[in-house]
Amino acid sequence: MADKAECNRRIVLLQERLKTGGIDGALLIYPIDIYYYAATRQNSALWIPADGPPRLMVRKSLSRAEAESTVETITPFPSGKNWPEIIGSEFRRIGLTYDVLPLQQFNFYGKILPNREFVDISALLRELRSVKSTWELERMRHSGRELSSVFAEIPEFLRPGMREIDLSAEFEYRARKRGWEGYVRMRAFNQELFQGLAVAGQSAASPGFFDGAVTGRGLSAAAPHGASTAIIDNNVPIMVDYTGVFDGYLVDMTRLFVFGALPPRVQEAFDVALKIQGELAGALVPGAICSDLFTRASEMAVAAGFGDNFMGVPGEQAKFVGHGVGLELDEMPVLALGFNVPLVENQTIAIEPKFVFPGVGVAGIENTFAVGTQGGEKLTPLPDSLVRL
């Protein structure tokens, strides 16, 4: 949990940007945004004026919010008639996060705060949150070390004849014993993820809804992501792709395993994935343009003869090769076409060049890096090599 100095620093940065944009204050109702600024995830709303102290208004649990939060003014959630008094008429332009604000909630606040202008500050908040403080980076390094330690144990329990679900259950059991929180929070609409995936062979190459390269078959049409009940065979690629979530902060990581040997084309694709990751990691410096990095990765995949398999099932590929991580899995920035913005020092990005071969399996690698002046700092400290069992 962030301390008062850390949260106050974040609030000051937000207030400076609100003033620059001519916005009188920000009203936050999304739990992770509230946690970021107030150090509590209790059911509440957070009012941050462009000038002056913030106010946290709690539905439940007030007592826990009072014990956890760094905000000084904490009150019960007010009735609708009291809101105009709390957010006075002098606050005309109010920022809301439209990307995660249900229409019902928008209408509610529009009704209790009449004659105000609401403006979207989603991009502003995501930009501010993308740059990690020294305090946040240390949490993410810790998450990386803990997750890597669980990955390092996989050869102890992965055996031929296991089902994918058995592998995932053993991995998750060991991670939970280490204090893994398990909440894989995603901001994108209609996306969800159950902690990670352990998939093998043709089951791993199943197409699916998830906005990523590899989806897996899952357990049913209602849960079509991740491990299935399929048996793990010899000589097929086994991909384990999990997040590590400790003290709220997550890292993302993938390693490849095999009993025997990979099919030659899959082995070649894995070697290309390592080269792409190395190229991009070295280029994670302030000022590098995100879309250029995606183009570089895509060109390397095409040159190696794997363009149709890069980042997903042919014809259904994910449109990125790296994504920001932190309190959420899908933070900014994104290494993707159209994302023509420069990297900033201390942004944290999961780079995941992967290849999908229908009917055969998947190959790839993923690590989380922090943008630095000398290139990306690897936050998931485990060798990247294929593990042969």
Side-chain angles (χ1 to χ4, degrees):
M1 185 171 66
D3 61 20
K4 187 171 184 177
E6 176 73 13
C7 288
N8 284 349
R9 180 193 63 82
R10 299 171 183 177
I11 290 169
V12 168
L13 289 174
L14 174 59
Q15 289 176 322
E16 290 174 353
R17 294 293 297 273
L18 293 174
K19 293 174 188 175
T20 299
I23 302 170
D24 297 322
L27 180 59
L28 307 179
I29 66 168
Y30 190 62
I32 301 309
D33 291 335
I34 294 171
Y35 177 79
Y36 182 76
Y37 287 105
T40 185
R41 186 259 173 264
Q42 297 306 300
N43 187 357
S44 55
L46 179 63
W47 166 244
I48 303 178
D51 278 305
R55 180 188 184 106
L56 184 66
M57 295 160 282
V58 185
R59 293 183 186 273
K60 188 176 183 293
S61 160
L62 178 62
S63 61
R64 184 155 180 177
E66 290 173 333
E68 293 176 340
S69 181
T70 58
V71 172
E72 292 186 2
T73 303
I74 303 175
T75 66
F77 197 87
S79 66
K81 65 181 181 181
N82 292 330
W83 276 85
E85 178 183 347
I86 293 169
I87 301 179
S89 59
E90 68 273 21
F91 297 102
R92 303 299 303 167
R93 301 187 75 223
I94 296 175
L96 299 172
T97 49
Y98 285 18
D99 63 334
V100 289
L101 184 69
L103 181 59
Q104 184 270 341
Q105 289 290 302
F106 181 84
N107 290 337
F108 170 75
Y109 287 103
K111 181 178 179 179
I112 63 175
L113 293 171
N115 304 316
R116 317 296 177 103
E117 178 188 358
F118 294 113
V119 295
D120 186 13
I121 58 170
S122 306
L124 168 59
L125 256 68
R126 299 191 76 183
E127 177 189 340
L128 289 171
R129 281 183 45 193
S130 75
V131 181
K132 307 304 188 287
S133 68
T134 301
W135 184 91
E136 289 179 288
L137 285 175
E138 187 49 45
R139 269 57 190 178
M140 295 186 70
R141 292 186 186 104
H142 172 71
S143 293
R145 290 190 297 267
E146 291 295 315
L147 182 61
S148 295
S149 69
V150 182
F151 268 90
E153 294 177 2
I154 291 176
E156 299 176 14
F157 58 83
L158 178 54
R159 297 288 181 268
M162 291 182 76
R163 301 176 302 169
E164 292 177 344
I165 193 67
D166 299 326
L167 172 57
S168 67
E170 184 67 30
F171 186 97
E172 291 159 16
Y173 166 76
R174 293 176 182 238
R176 287 290 281 171
K177 293 273 283 185
R178 289 182 175 273
W180 180 50
E181 294 168 357
Y183 289 99
V184 184
R185 294 179 166 111
M186 297 188 68
R187 203 174 186 95
F189 182 66
N190 271 350
Q191 292 295 305
E192 57 186 0
L193 171 67
F194 182 77
Q195 302 172 347
L197 51 85
V199 291
Q202 61 181 346
S203 173
S206 301
F209 77 95
F210 187 70
D211 188 17
V214 179
T215 297
R217 186 182 300 164
L219 294 172
S220 73
H225 179 274
S228 72
T229 56
I231 300 295
I232 298 174
D233 294 325
N234 293 324
N235 304 313
V236 301
I238 306 164
M239 177 172 284
V240 181
D241 179 352
Y242 268 89
T243 60
V245 190
F246 297 84
D247 202 15
Y249 283 87
L250 66 85
V251 294
D252 204 358
M253 180 175 173
T254 298
R255 293 294 183 272
L256 202 65
F257 303 81
V258 66
F259 294 116
L262 294 177
R265 186 161 170 79
V266 176
Q267 177 67 62
E268 185 181 353
F270 179 69
D271 294 338
V272 173
L274 292 177
K275 292 177 182 177
I276 292 173
Q277 178 190 242
E279 179 77 10
L280 297 189
L284 289 182
V285 296
I289 303 302
C290 293
S291 57
D292 291 347
L293 297 183
F294 175 83
T295 298
R296 191 180 310 181
S298 182
E299 288 175 347
M300 291 178 68
V302 170
F306 295 107
D308 290 341
N309 307 97
F310 184 53
M311 296 306 295
V313 175
E316 296 186 13
Q317 287 117 315
K319 306 302 183 183
F320 65 90
V321 72
H323 56 93
V325 293
L327 291 172
E328 294 171 307
L329 183 65
D330 53 346
E331 295 194 359
M332 296 289 114
V334 184
L335 305 187
L337 286 180
F339 207 84
N340 303 316
V341 298
L343 294 178
V344 177
E345 187 172 5
N346 293 341
Q347 288 178 324
T348 46
I349 303 172
I351 295 178
E352 55 170 322
K354 293 173 181 172
F355 298 91
V356 178
F357 300 92
V360 178
V362 299
I365 191 72
E366 182 173 19
N367 284 288
T368 301
F369 299 87
V371 176
T373 56
Q374 305 302 312
E377 175 197 348
K378 188 179 179 184
L379 303 180
T380 42
L382 190 73
D384 296 339
S385 55
L386 170 69
V387 180
R388 293 181 174 87
L389 302 169

